[in-house]
Amino acid sequence: MNQNRIPLYEALKDFNSKHPISFHVPGHKHGLLFQDSLRDFSQILKYDVTELSGLDDLHSPEGAILEAQKLLSTYYGTKRSYFLVNGSTVGNLIMVLSVFRPGDTVFVQRNCHKSILNALKLGKVNPIFLDPEFDESLWVAGGVGSSTVEEAYHLYPDAKGCILTYPNYYGLASSLEKTINIVHQNRGLVLVDEAHGPHLRLGYPFPKSSIEFGADIIVQSAHKILPAMTMGSYLHINSEFISTERVEYYYSVLQSSSPSYPIMTSLDYARYFISTFTSEDIQYTLRQRDRFVDDLKKIKGILVANGIVEQDPLKLIIRYQGYSGYELQHFFEEEKIFVEMADPYQVVMVLPLLKKDMTYFYKDTIEKLKKVLNRHIYKINPTNRLQMESKQKINHLAMSYEEMEIKPIEWVSFDQALDRVAAKMIIPYPPGIPVILPGEIIDANKIAYIEKLIQNQARFQGNTYHILNKEIAVFKK
Ligand SMILES: Cc1ncc(COP(=O)(O)O)c(C=O)c1O
């Protein structure tokens, strides 16, 4: 197939060239109802159309969308690939609900995105949480060790599969080869949340994609790294053991019947962009990156951190001696530079994929950073390490999802919450990875970790008022 084509964009361009008159939804009428002050915003709205003749239908694709999705599948080498218009969030829901049945025992990497946890609950499965390995260099949770998966199968030989996150938010990508083999040998299916890896298909020096490792079904947030609009994501079926029918059923149930054409078109473009990315472009991207890293390292007090496993070169992890990641993030923002996220130790920057004629703001960023860090001189005191210790690597919930649905809850102080069953997630955001899961027992390590996050001014998603007041929701006894 010709990867230089962008069929959905071509269909829309052709449609607009005919100066169409709208007596259909959406109500903004090709942006004409956006008045003068919003004129620039309305530029994109001529592409915000609906399922008109010649523009195909995401839920029953036969024309431009079908062709665009075929190009996607050909590029990634999958059995079937789909556009998602509600992020990897909806992709994770579709994967879990279509692959598992209520009551199935399923292994789940504990440091997963909350959409996976929501999917487990909606799917009424029986999750067994697997603790990840701790990366001693970045001081963050990484991937699940294959020995943990092996041990889990000894304890739960009937498990139907395993849900993994790869790579993690920091770009850590420990090989999935062994883990996927173990799951397949046990006749299980591997579901991978590859939200942070839509570019891994580029190959070395990027870590391998889980598609190549042989995962059965995979979700990728195209919008996180590729030039796609927010919420634009891909879903890939990569094995004959996944029921296309069930996937397509949940795909249509969980997504809007009026999917956004700008998002879909940006997904078509993102596939074009990555599939035409040459080895020269890769070298150029990496040279620009390496120069930026060298310049960063010349700034006194700055450390560019590396994990101990393979790492995505587009995720840059930066520390500033004597300051937390949250403080460093504020320093960046003083100069209007916005990083992807901060944790107690470091910030994470997401670097661009550059084709060889593209430039980026690397030089400006270094100059601005030097200026701001002159105002906040580094300190010699070391940063304290903060780790959530857990007693054992393989854990099940103390209460079933059915029971959780009917039990009343109450908010209690951190002290009173000890050894009680948690009723709500506690999620530092970003990265959106829960520290406490509903249905699990709250232990002293978790409370100590949350207290340290609060001291370090971490942000939380939802229930912030209670958390900052040191209260946790638990199920009534
Ligand atoms: C690992 C992981 N999975 C899924 C998601 C959700 O992705 P989306 O924003 O595309 O819905 C995120 C979002 O940050 C994520 O980090």
Side-chain angles (χ1 to χ4, degrees):
M1 292 186 85
N2 181 0
Q3 294 287 348
N4 285 308
R5 297 272 324 277
I6 314 175
L8 189 50
Y9 174 69
E10 289 158 16
L12 285 171
K13 190 101 185 133
D14 181 51
F15 176 78
N16 280 326
S17 72
K18 293 173 184 148
H19 306 291
I21 297 167
S22 167
F23 285 102
H24 55 78
V25 298
H28 58 65
K29 307 295 176 206
H30 302 309
L32 295 174
L33 269 58
F34 273 66
Q35 291 178 308
D36 291 348
S37 56
L38 280 107
R39 193 51 76 203
D40 60 338
F41 181 75
S42 73
Q43 290 306 312
I44 195 177
L45 295 179
K46 62 176 188 269
Y47 292 100
D48 185 34
V49 288
T50 189
E51 291 78 12
L52 303 168
S53 300
L55 297 184
D56 210 0
D57 176 353
L58 181 69
H59 292 289
S60 181
E62 292 174 347
I65 296 177
L66 179 68
E67 198 182 343
Q69 293 191 142
K70 277 189 176 162
L71 283 163
L72 180 69
S73 165
T74 307
Y75 171 66
Y76 283 97
T78 60
K79 201 168 159 255
R80 244 189 168 113
S81 295
Y82 303 85
F83 289 168
L84 298 170
V85 291
N86 191 18
S88 291
T89 298
V90 81
N92 283 336
L93 292 172
I94 296 167
M95 282 204 302
V96 173
L97 292 173
S98 62
V99 173
F100 300 118
R101 310 274 174 155
D104 279 356
T105 295
V106 178
F107 299 139
V108 187
Q109 179 167 339
R110 193 185 183 291
N111 54 333
C112 62
H113 188 256
K114 63 184 175 152
S115 53
I116 296 278
L117 299 164
N118 290 330
L120 299 172
K121 188 172 178 191
L122 289 173
K124 295 192 166 41
V125 300
N126 170 31
I128 306 296
F129 290 99
L130 309 182
D131 266 23
E133 301 300 308
F134 192 75
D135 190 292
E136 291 293 342
S137 173
L138 290 188
W139 301 342
V140 299
V144 174
S146 55
S147 56
T148 307
V149 177
E150 208 154 28
E151 197 185 328
Y153 268 111
H154 283 132
L155 296 172
Y156 302 94
D158 295 330
K160 295 284 190 284
C162 189
I163 307 171
L164 301 169
T165 304
Y166 170 96
N168 74 356
Y169 216 128
Y170 297 80
L172 294 179
S174 38
S175 169
L176 295 184
E177 193 169 358
K178 255 185 162 174
T179 299
I180 291 181
N181 281 342
I182 294 167
V183 179
H184 284 168
Q185 278 157 16
N186 284 278
R187 290 185 297 281
L189 294 169
V190 180
L191 290 64
V192 179
D193 174 354
E194 199 170 281
H196 296 275
H199 57 307
L200 301 186
R201 166 77 177 76
L202 286 174
Y204 186 79
F206 296 95
K208 270 189 187 172
S209 163
S210 64
I211 299 174
E212 271 186 83
F213 285 125
D216 296 280
I217 182 164
I218 301 101
V219 162
Q220 299 172 329
S221 291
H223 68 94
K224 289 195 196 295
I225 311 271
L226 308 183
M229 284 175 70
T230 296
M231 298 207 289
S233 296
Y234 300 139
L235 172 67
H236 304 288
I237 295 181
N238 196 34
S239 95
E240 60 192 299
F241 301 109
I242 299 293
S243 158
T244 306
E245 206 175 302
R246 278 178 68 85
V247 167
E248 291 184 357
Y249 169 72
Y250 284 104
Y251 183 87
S252 67
V253 166
L254 296 171
Q255 294 205 105
S256 169
S257 61
S258 310
S260 154
Y261 273 78
I263 293 178
M264 290 190 285
T265 307
S266 77
L267 284 171
D268 195 17
Y269 174 73
R271 184 274 315 150
Y272 157 79
F273 182 88
I274 193 81
S275 67
T276 54
F277 211 79
T278 63
S279 50
E280 266 179 296
D281 295 330
I282 296 177
Q283 293 315 319
Y284 177 75
T285 293
L286 294 176
R287 267 202 313 279
Q288 299 289 309
R289 173 211 183 266
D290 292 349
R291 207 168 296 154
F292 182 53
V293 169
D294 287 345
D295 289 344
L296 279 171
K297 284 179 176 167
K298 285 182 197 146
I299 301 175
K300 268 218 151 80
I302 284 279
L303 177 86
V304 179
N306 290 307
I308 48 177
V309 295
E310 232 188 312
Q311 199 174 331
D312 178 359
L314 294 185
K315 292 281 175 81
L316 215 56
I317 294 154
I318 300 170
R319 296 183 188 157
Y320 189 47
Q321 199 176 317
Y323 293 93
S324 72
Y326 305 111
E327 288 167 312
L328 181 56
Q329 182 179 30
H330 284 128
F331 299 160
F332 269 98
E333 289 182 8
E334 281 179 29
E335 285 296 326
K336 304 287 173 273
I337 300 166
F338 296 90
V339 297
E340 170 64 15
M341 73 149 165
D343 73 15
Y345 325 110
Q346 52 225 348
V347 299
V348 178
M349 298 178 97
V350 181
L351 306 187
L353 278 169
L354 299 174
K355 293 206 177 192
K356 61 182 185 303
D357 52 350
M358 295 175 161
T359 55
Y360 208 64
F361 305 100
Y362 285 138
K363 268 204 171 134
D364 275 13
T365 304
I366 294 290
E367 291 316 311
K368 288 182 174 183
L369 201 54
K370 278 183 186 160
K371 209 159 86 187
V372 73
L373 295 186
N374 261 336
R375 301 200 289 271
H376 306 281
I377 300 300
Y378 72 96
K379 303 180 208 162
I380 25 192
N381 48 324
T383 315
N384 285 331
R385 190 175 119 154
L386 229 174
Q387 179 181 353
M388 189 171 76
E389 309 279 351
S390 69
K391 291 185 193 132
Q392 54 194 36
K393 279 200 134 119
I394 301 171
N395 295 289
H396 59 83
L397 294 179
M399 200 181 272
S400 72
Y401 288 129
E402 279 87 351
E403 212 180 336
M404 283 187 237
E405 246 166 52
I406 49 172
K407 273 245 174 194
I409 67 162
E410 61 182 334
W411 289 91
V412 298
S413 70
F414 280 4
D415 290 344
Q416 291 165 330
L418 212 59
D419 298 326
R420 301 277 299 272
V421 179
K424 287 184 188 290
M425 294 184 211
I426 294 192
I427 314 175
Y429 195 88
I433 308 290
V435 175
I436 286 194
L437 307 178
E440 73 179 2
I441 306 275
I442 300 166
D443 66 28
N445 290 325
K446 289 190 178 106
I447 289 182
Y449 186 69
I450 297 165
E451 284 197 318
K452 283 190 192 149
L453 287 172
I454 295 171
Q455 274 166 23
N456 281 280
Q457 290 146 30
R459 294 179 200 143
F460 294 89
Q461 196 173 56
N463 304 310
T464 311
Y465 169 81
H466 286 291
I467 298 166
L468 298 183
N469 265 336
K470 303 201 172 179
E471 290 173 339
I472 298 187
V474 294
F475 288 106
K476 282 190 175 167
K477 285 183 182 162

